[in-house]
Every structure is written in C-alpha cells, then in structure tokens.
Amino acid sequence: MGSLRTPTNLSNKSCLCVSGRVVKGLRVERQVGLGFSWLLKGRRNRKVQSLCVTSSVSDGSSIAENKKVSEGLLLGPERDGSGSVVGFQLIPHSVAGDATMVESHDIVANDRDDLREDAEEMEETPIKLTFNIIFVTAEAAPYSKTGGLGDVCGSLPMALAARGHRVMVVSPRYLNGGPSDEKYANAVDLDVRATVHCFGDAQEVAFYHEYRAGVDWVFVDHSSYRRPGTPYGDIYGAFGDNQQFRFTLLSHAACEAPLVLPLGGFTYGEKCLFLANDWHASLVPLLLAAKYRPYGVYKDARSIVAIHNIAHQGVEPAATYNNLGLPPQWYGALEWIFPTWARAHALDTGETVNVLKGAISVADRILTVSQGYSWEITTPEGGYGLHELLSSRQSVLNGITNGIDVNDWNPSTDEHIASHYSINDLSGKAQCKTDLQKELGLPIRPDCPLIGFIGRLDYQKGVDIILSAIPELLQKDVQFVMLGSGEKQYEDWMRHTENLFKDKFRAWVGFNVPVSHRITAGCDILLMPSRFEPCGLNQLYAMRYGTIPVVHSTGGLRDTVKDFNPYAQEGKGEGTGWTFSPLTSEKLLDTLKLAIGTYTEHKSSWEGLMKRGMGRDYSWENAAIQYEQVFTWAFMDPPYVR
C-alpha cells in the first residue's frame, strides 16, 4: 500500500490538533487517506473539539503509550486553491507500519456506549487502500497532447485523486514560444533544483507545480524542452535527442521528484507507485532497480509500465547505453539485437538498447489500455519483437480499457453541437444531423445514412481499406464524411474523391475539435477499420452520442463494441454495433451493407442499438477502480531486486 509521510517538522514531541471524533488509544498510521465523515454518521448530538497526534520514533517506540490495536486512523490533507495544506481529515486503517499515537483531548460524548458503537463501526467498515501514485509521461492534457497518451494522463490522475489517492503527474514543461505556453501560466517555480547524472555529465533541472483537480501537476524544466514545434519534433522532423537526452532526463527527474518536492508541505516520500507510460518513461523502473534500491532508497516502491502503443519502443544504438545513467552491469536488461533481415547492411551487427524491453523485464506489473491489446502484444503479429518476453511475464500483464471525459463528451451539454439530446430524448440527434449536412454542403436528407470517419490518415487506421471500398460504397444511397490529416497521398485522395462525388462525400483535411464533436453527433455510423488499435476512443465517443460504430475486430475495438444480435433478449436484440474480420474491403463493405440495411429497414432495432451504446459506462471512474486492483497486486509481491 502506498503511504504519505507526515510533515517532517512533526517531531516526536510535537502535537498536531485537528477536529475530529476519535477513540482514545487507537494507533495512527503515518499515512493520509480519505475523510472521516462516516465516523460521525448518526452522532450529530456529540460535541467534537480536538485531538492531539504524537508521532512515534523510527524504531517503533513512542513517547505516548504504545498500545497494540488492530485498527487506526489516517491523516489526510485538506488543501486550499494554491495547494497548501490547511487541515487534516481522519479515516480508519489497519495496515501495520511506522505508527503514531493518538491521544484525545476534550472528547465529549453522551455515554460510553457511543464509544463502543464507534469502535464496532470501525471494525465493520471495509478498509480502502490509498496510494502515492507518480505518473511519468511525455504528455498530459491539457498541457501537452498529440494523441491518446495525453488524454489518459490528463484524465486518469484526476479520477484516482477523486477516489482518495495522492497523485503526482511528472511531465516536461514544453515551451515553444507560442500561445500554447499559456497552458503553464498557473504553474509556479518550486525553487527546487535537482542534479541528475546522465550523458557523462551532471544535468540540472527545475520543477514547476500546479495543484489542480486534486492532482499535483509537476513540470520538469530544462532548456531541451524549450524549442518551437510539438513535444516530439518540428517542421524538419523528429528531434534527434528525443530518447538520447530529453526523455532520459525526464525519467531521472521523475525519480527525484517524490524525494525532494515539498508539495503541500511535505514530500511524497519513498513508498510510491510509479506508473511509467510508454517508452518515454520506461527508464523509470530500471532506475529504481539499478540506481536507488541497491542503496536502500525506494526499497518499498513499486513500478508499473503502461503500454499505449508497443510499436514505439525507444530503440537506439548500443553505443548509447552509457548515456542513460545506468550501471554497466545492467546492459543486458536493455540489450536488443535485430534479426539479420532487419539490419541496414552486411556489417550491421543489429545490436541496440531497447528501454521498453528493459522496463518490461523489471517492472512489478505491466498494463495495456485494453484487454484485447494485452493479449495481442503476446503474439508475433502484435508484439513487435517483444512477444516472447511479454508471454513470459503474462502473469503480471493486464489490460484496462481507457475511459473518456464524460463531461466533455456529453450530448446533453455539448457546446459544439446544434441540439442537445439524451438517451431519454433522442429528438435532438436528428437536428444535429441536419445541421452537419448543412455545414458540409451535403443535401439535407434525414433518411439517408450518414457515415463518418475521424482519425489519422495512415496505414494503421486502415485508410487504404476505405480508399478501395469507397467507389462501390458510394454507389449506394449513403453520404460519407472524413476528418483527419496525415500522409499526403491520402489527403490528396480525399480532395479528389470529394470532387468526384459532390453530393455524397466530404473531406475535411486537418483536425478540428468542434467539428469532430459535430461529426460524432450528426453521423449515423462511425467507421473505424484500424489494423491495430490498443484502445481507441472515437468508438467510445460515438456510442455515447448514439452513433453506431462499425469497426475492425482488433484490440480495444473488439473489447468495447459488441456485435448486434437482433434475435437476443426475446427479439429485443443486444449489442452496440458491428465488428468485422479479416480486414479487407470486401468484408468492410459487407458489414456496412448490414448496418445500412438495419438503419433503413428496422428503425426500432436501430434505436435499441443507440440506447444500448449511450447507456454504457466508459467513465474514468470505472477505469480507476480497475487500476486500484492492479495497484494492490503490485504491492503483494516484493519489488524487483537483481
């Protein structure tokens, strides 16, 4: 279990007074947790004044009487808008550890029976574990985002914080000299500098901090993060020092942050759970095992590597290993040799270092963003060379489907769409369709099925399959709209197809958030023929908006879209859309024909599809509960020690 240390200025003789109702003599773990409102349930007639918390010494003895009890109380901080601690809350806890003693002062109760009832209630109350969670990520929305990674690391931390965990997100402070720099306007310099050793030299980093939505957002500041472009590159391509400096620096800084940053008055301490996201942060589990634990630091910490897309692994030439700041004897953990057919020339030995491979080898748990993807990466087709390693660690490999921001993506409140609607009143969706047809310059035809595609224009998203299927598909009575950018050949094809089918096809080259909302709300069908999709979000948005997904049966798409069966439930039907496999234009066309036929000929079945999709729970709250289970498993076994 993760824990939060009490302020360092709380000495053995110090006393912290907080309001609360306690049972005298109970032991208090040196941790924080949730509120204690349950303790006062049904006890409104009591007067509550104060209690004194006296910390124990490190060897387990205490200035106060050391009473052994099975339950205790936890201290949890209340913060103001700036993140400063202004008070503490109490909850029960039973996990043994470095304890403090509690002695009550001026507790006024009606009778001793009330105290006995409180003790009985605490015994019956289920214990909720809370953790110190450190997200390490190259992106975190709204500060930085290029794709799903930014969405996950911008939303999941807030959902976990809302459930009582102490959460820090460590990400670079990207400054490109443009308007996006304003996103960091509320982050203040903590005036803490850390020196980390990598690339044969000492590198100094600074930390900026914003406390928002219950989360400590920490931004690592260094000159390598201050340059024009995106987080990964500029108009000339990817930055050459992405792996071999910028993200090595991020991993080192993230390991230092819980030890040196006095957030809310005290540090996170060593008993943390690090969640390293994708290859950018994969050095973190290796640093914990190779740099810190041999010296007794982070001996109780755990690490989880979260794989959002295994196609990107952080592979660099073997000669660059010395840049990473790891001991020489750890080279084997990262060693990666390409097969002969994949080498550049006859003299190429294929020797490289692979940081994601190293993280998978030593992390306490491995997570992917859907159950289907967690299986696919153990296969030769989906593992990108790491399938055997992942198969060997399958006992600690899990998949959890991403959630979505149900406030941002809500058809009953969405500010970007023409008319609001809900599962109980679908009338507004027809107006959204009419408005979209009008905006796109398509004929306004309520009964004509409108199909949409939103995504990158590249091979992974199956755009080539759409290209080959469009000529036959547009012979039918349908309309089609595509929104996206990517490879120039597909962008040019979209423009050309629009000229050929002026009344049926529209191309929006580029990406526009309000337009993506209007397409999601206005279309009847959303097409996603991705070759592989670790999770996918657009199909989740579509179902929430009553738009029926037609998807390739892969990864998270297969997990989240349930095939329509009109004969189930005594003829009432089940399912939320259609999946198809194999990924061919013929199979795509056959499935779309089935969907179009259902839309035009079976309106009641179509409405059932819409409502079942809109009724699904894909909130981050649901995902956070599943993450908590994996966190608990991570602490059941000892951490990796070489």
Side-chain angles (χ1 to χ4, degrees):
M1 153 160 186
S3 63
L4 302 182
R5 296 187 179 276
T6 53
T8 54
N9 60 0
L10 193 60
S11 66
N12 291 329
K13 296 182 180 181
S14 65
C15 182
L16 176 65
C17 289
V18 296
S19 4
R21 178 76 169 77
V22 301
V23 181
K24 184 175 180 179
L26 291 183
R27 183 173 61 187
V28 179
E29 296 297 331
R30 193 174 286 178
Q31 298 167 339
V32 301
L34 300 177
F36 68 109
S37 58
W38 64 273
L39 190 58
L40 301 179
K41 185 178 180 182
R43 304 288 188 270
R44 295 183 181 178
N45 59 331
R46 297 183 184 172
K47 296 179 182 178
V48 180
Q49 295 185 22
S50 66
L51 64 92
C52 177
V53 179
T54 305
S55 65
S56 68
V57 295
S58 59
D59 63 0
S61 62
S62 173
I63 296 175
E65 181 183 0
N66 187 6
K67 297 183 179 181
K68 293 185 178 180
V69 292
S70 61
E71 300 291 343
L73 296 173
L74 290 163
L75 290 177
E78 292 180 353
R79 311 193 196 202
D80 60 16
S82 66
S84 300
V85 174
V86 296
F88 289 85
Q89 298 175 324
L90 303 176
I91 62 167
H93 211 284
S94 64
V95 178
D98 187 15
T100 61
M101 296 302 300
V102 176
E103 292 193 355
S104 59
H105 293 276
D106 304 322
I107 298 178
V108 182
N110 289 340
D111 51 51
R112 294 183 179 179
D113 290 340
D114 291 337
L115 293 176
R116 188 179 301 110
E117 291 174 11
D118 281 342
E120 291 174 354
E121 285 182 18
M122 287 193 298
E123 290 178 0
E124 296 174 358
T125 302
I127 302 303
K128 174 179 172 57
L129 300 179
T130 57
F131 301 92
N132 298 340
I133 306 166
I134 315 296
F135 279 77
V136 188
T137 176
E139 304 176 26
Y143 307 100
S144 55
K145 174 187 170 181
T146 65
L149 174 63
D151 285 324
V152 173
C153 295
S155 298
L156 178 58
M158 294 188 292
L160 289 166
R163 293 184 56 78
H165 306 282
R166 195 182 187 200
V167 184
M168 179 197 303
V169 178
V170 184
S171 171
R173 183 172 178 255
Y174 299 112
L175 299 178
N176 58 23
S180 63
D181 292 359
E182 290 300 315
K183 296 175 181 177
Y184 301 98
N186 295 326
V188 298
D189 189 348
L190 291 173
D191 198 26
V192 174
R193 302 294 183 267
T195 301
V196 298
H197 295 271
C198 58
F199 282 75
D201 200 358
Q203 313 291 337
E204 184 178 88
V205 297
F207 298 94
Y208 282 69
H209 173 249
E210 179 181 358
Y211 182 74
R212 179 180 61 83
V215 176
D216 290 306
W217 303 90
V218 172
F219 306 105
V220 180
D221 184 61
H222 188 271
S223 58
S224 64
Y225 304 130
R226 301 184 219 123
R227 56 182 65 162
T230 71
Y232 308 115
D234 54 21
I235 58 174
Y236 302 104
F239 296 131
D241 58 357
N242 269 344
Q243 164 60 19
Q244 285 302 307
F245 192 79
R246 301 168 81 231
F247 296 122
T248 294
L249 198 64
L250 172 65
S251 295
H252 279 272
C255 290
E256 290 294 306
L259 304 176
V260 302
L261 301 184
L263 305 178
F266 53 102
T267 66
Y268 275 59
E270 295 180 27
K271 194 171 184 181
C272 294
L273 176 69
F274 287 87
L275 193 60
N277 291 273
D278 266 347
W279 70 267
H280 320 95
S282 288
L283 201 58
V284 169
L286 291 154
L287 290 172
L288 296 178
K291 177 182 176 181
Y292 291 94
R293 286 197 190 111
Y295 300 96
V297 182
Y298 284 134
K299 61 183 181 299
D300 294 321
R302 300 293 189 276
S303 64
I304 297 175
V305 58
I307 301 173
H308 300 258
N309 190 339
I310 201 170
H312 306 287
Q313 300 176 6
V315 179
E316 296 289 338
T320 64
Y321 173 81
N322 292 332
N323 294 336
L324 302 179
L326 292 172
Q329 63 268 28
W330 276 78
Y331 173 79
L334 286 78
E335 183 180 26
W336 181 250
I337 300 178
F338 278 104
T340 304
W341 61 265
R343 300 175 190 177
H345 49 75
L347 298 180
D348 183 1
T349 62
E351 296 179 13
T352 65
V353 287
N354 183 326
V355 292
L356 182 60
K357 178 242 182 180
I360 292 171
S361 300
V362 306
D364 297 291
R365 304 289 304 190
I366 306 164
L367 274 174
T368 67
V369 290
S370 71
Q371 289 184 349
Y373 196 57
S374 69
W375 170 80
E376 287 181 2
I377 63 176
T378 64
T379 67
E381 295 80 11
Y384 283 80
L386 295 179
H387 56 283
E388 292 183 355
L389 174 61
L390 286 161
S391 295
S392 71
R393 301 218 65 200
Q394 202 157 15
S395 62
V396 296
L397 172 61
N398 297 97
I400 299 175
T401 301
N402 285 338
I404 63 173
D405 188 332
V406 294
N407 295 315
D408 188 31
W409 290 91
N410 186 346
S412 64
T413 59
D414 194 333
E415 62 182 11
H416 301 303
I417 63 178
S419 179
H420 294 153
Y421 59 97
S422 68
I423 191 173
N424 298 316
D425 181 8
L426 296 170
S427 58
K429 185 167 177 63
Q431 182 58 44
C432 289
K433 180 176 180 177
T434 298
D435 185 76
L436 179 62
Q437 289 172 327
K438 185 183 301 183
E439 180 180 4
L440 297 174
L442 289 169
I444 299 175
R445 298 183 56 201
D447 293 331
C448 178
L450 179 55
I451 305 169
F453 169 88
I454 302 171
R456 291 195 317 274
L457 305 179
D458 61 21
Y459 182 77
Q460 179 201 334
K461 299 299 181 180
V463 179
D464 58 313
I465 304 298
I466 298 177
L467 185 153
S468 61
I470 278 290
E472 182 176 343
L473 177 63
L474 294 185
Q475 299 302 316
K476 297 185 175 296
D477 188 20
V478 299
Q479 295 175 342
F480 202 109
V481 56
M482 293 184 68
L483 168 68
S485 62
E487 296 182 22
K488 186 177 183 301
Q489 59 173 327
Y490 295 131
E491 293 181 354
D492 293 342
W493 166 79
M494 284 169 55
R495 296 186 181 99
H496 176 67
T497 304
E498 180 174 302
N499 290 330
L500 290 178
F501 300 92
K502 296 183 182 297
D503 291 338
K504 291 190 172 185
F505 186 90
R506 285 293 179 271
W508 190 299
V509 178
F511 189 75
N512 184 293
V513 171
V515 172
S516 71
H517 280 245
R518 292 197 286 274
I519 290 176
T520 302
C523 283
D524 302 297
I525 298 169
L526 184 79
L527 181 62
M528 293 184 68
S530 302
R531 279 185 165 77
F532 67 92
E533 196 67 69
C535 177
L537 295 176
N538 286 331
Q539 84 279 12
L540 304 182
Y541 301 149
M543 288 186 286
R544 182 151 172 83
Y545 279 63
T547 300
I548 311 306
V550 174
V551 304
H552 178 220
S553 183
T554 184
L557 301 181
R558 179 176 55 242
D559 287 354
T560 55
V561 179
K562 303 307 176 186
D563 273 311
F564 174 53
N565 179 0
Y567 305 107
Q569 304 289 331
E570 297 181 351
K572 296 179 181 179
E574 67 178 8
T576 57
W578 284 270
T579 65
F580 65 91
S581 183
L583 182 60
T584 63
S585 59
E586 292 78 14
K587 194 63 176 178
L588 181 150
L589 285 167
D590 288 343
T591 309
L592 278 177
K593 290 175 184 176
L594 186 60
I596 293 167
T598 304
Y599 173 83
T600 57
E601 300 173 17
H602 303 282
K603 293 296 185 183
S604 62
S605 293
W606 193 264
E607 183 174 325
L609 279 163
M610 294 171 65
K611 289 187 174 182
R612 285 191 294 274
M614 296 177 75
R616 299 285 291 274
D617 179 10
Y618 286 117
S619 67
W620 276 112
E621 168 77 9
N622 184 40
I625 294 171
Q626 298 177 65
Y627 271 86
E628 287 175 338
Q629 179 62 74
V630 176
F631 297 164
T632 303
W633 291 337
F635 279 92
M636 290 177 66
D637 297 319
Y640 182 92
V641 177
R642 186 166 180 172

